[in-house]
Amino acid sequence: MTHDDTTTDGDAQDATDEQPTDEDPATRTPGGGAAPEPEPIEPAAPEEFGLVQAWWGDGKGKTTAAMGMGFRAAGHGYRVHMLQFMKGGADSVEGVRGEYNAIAAMPGFSYENAGHYGWHGLLDGSADDEHEAQARAAFERAEALVVGAGEADLTEPLPLGGDPDDGVHMLILDELLYAADRGLVDPDDVVALAESKPDGLELVLTGSHAEPAYLEGVADLITNVRKVAHPFDAGHRARRGTEY
């Protein structure tokens, strides 16, 4: 009986694949191993937007995460708008906020604030009925922005300085989930808004320490930002550059 030491083409290919190489694996990355360089921001259209995100929990960072995504999207030339609910200010927060200055300097990113001074349900001199009126007006504004996005061609670039009513690729509704949790906005209306959005609009919802169970099966991403420790518990007040 003779020994057959011939190999098939497939065996030869496997042997070749297993040979060591001096090539740096980093050269096979999209950047060829080089650190990405910043590029001019030009209007562009996303290819994979269209999900609903919900960020909730008792930890710090929900708004920060949403705005971080907004900056990332705007850096690619996509049109982003943030509408804030329930953030009209308090005695622990100065009138000028770092995020507004940064957004104003970022092409393609815009914002508006529909909050009322103080916080609903607290004895801080603010009127709860005024909080509710502001929240309802903000929700109507959100509905108009979603309609505007539906009338735009989100598969095409949008003017970076364009009116958000004429369409955006990403819409951040900051603290909307808090407004729904406190009964200022009907959770069923939030669901209806999410279900009515156009396919190409990335809708980002934040807020609420309570789980928004009504968004299960509606939101594609639901993240619980959980508190392990918070400086507020030790008596620290809001700090410039971290909370505002």
Side-chain angles (χ1 to χ4, degrees), residues 16-240:
T16 300
D17 291 344
E18 294 171 2
Q19 295 300 313
T21 176
D22 293 332
E23 180 186 7
D24 182 351
T27 62
R28 297 195 295 271
T29 65
E37 294 289 338
E39 300 177 354
I41 297 175
E42 300 291 345
E47 297 180 358
E48 299 179 312
F49 271 19
L51 303 185
V52 176
Q53 301 188 27
W55 293 74
W56 71 280
D58 62 355
K60 169 181 166 58
K62 300 179 290 291
T63 295
T64 304
M67 287 192 296
M69 283 190 295
F71 277 102
R72 177 176 286 161
H76 285 291
Y78 309 153
R79 186 68 178 88
V80 181
H81 187 70
M82 179 175 69
L83 170 63
Q84 291 192 308
F85 290 67
M86 302 182 69
K87 276 189 173 172
D91 61 2
S92 61
V93 177
E94 297 177 20
V96 177
R97 300 184 190 173
E99 59 264 40
Y100 294 171
N101 294 341
I103 290 173
M106 183 71 182
F109 202 163
S110 56
Y111 75 92
E112 56 190 295
N113 186 307
H116 177 58
Y117 173 82
W119 192 254
H120 180 263
L122 297 183
L123 299 177
D124 53 14
S126 62
D128 284 355
D129 57 348
E130 186 63 21
H131 281 292
E132 183 174 3
Q134 291 277 358
R136 285 303 315 172
F139 190 78
E140 292 173 4
R141 174 63 177 150
E143 291 178 315
L145 289 166
V146 170
V147 169
E151 294 174 348
D153 185 355
L154 301 184
T155 66
E156 293 293 327
L158 298 172
L160 299 182
D163 192 321
D165 291 272
D166 295 331
V168 296
H169 296 117
M170 176 182 286
L171 177 60
I172 302 170
L173 300 180
D174 185 41
E175 310 297 8
L176 172 58
L177 302 184
Y178 269 126
D181 180 45
R182 302 200 66 82
L184 305 180
V185 173
D186 191 329
D188 289 340
D189 290 341
V190 178
V191 171
L193 181 71
E195 293 179 336
S196 71
K197 76 168 192 64
D199 291 340
L201 176 65
E202 190 82 6
L203 184 64
V204 183
L205 315 175
T206 78
S208 182
H209 286 188
E211 181 177 3
Y214 53 89
L215 288 177
E216 292 183 10
V218 177
D220 301 279
L221 180 151
I222 300 178
T223 297
N224 178 2
V225 181
R226 186 172 65 90
K227 181 184 75 171
V228 176
H230 200 302
F232 286 2
D233 296 336
H236 291 275
R237 291 169 67 84
R239 295 178 298 155
R240 183 172 186 162

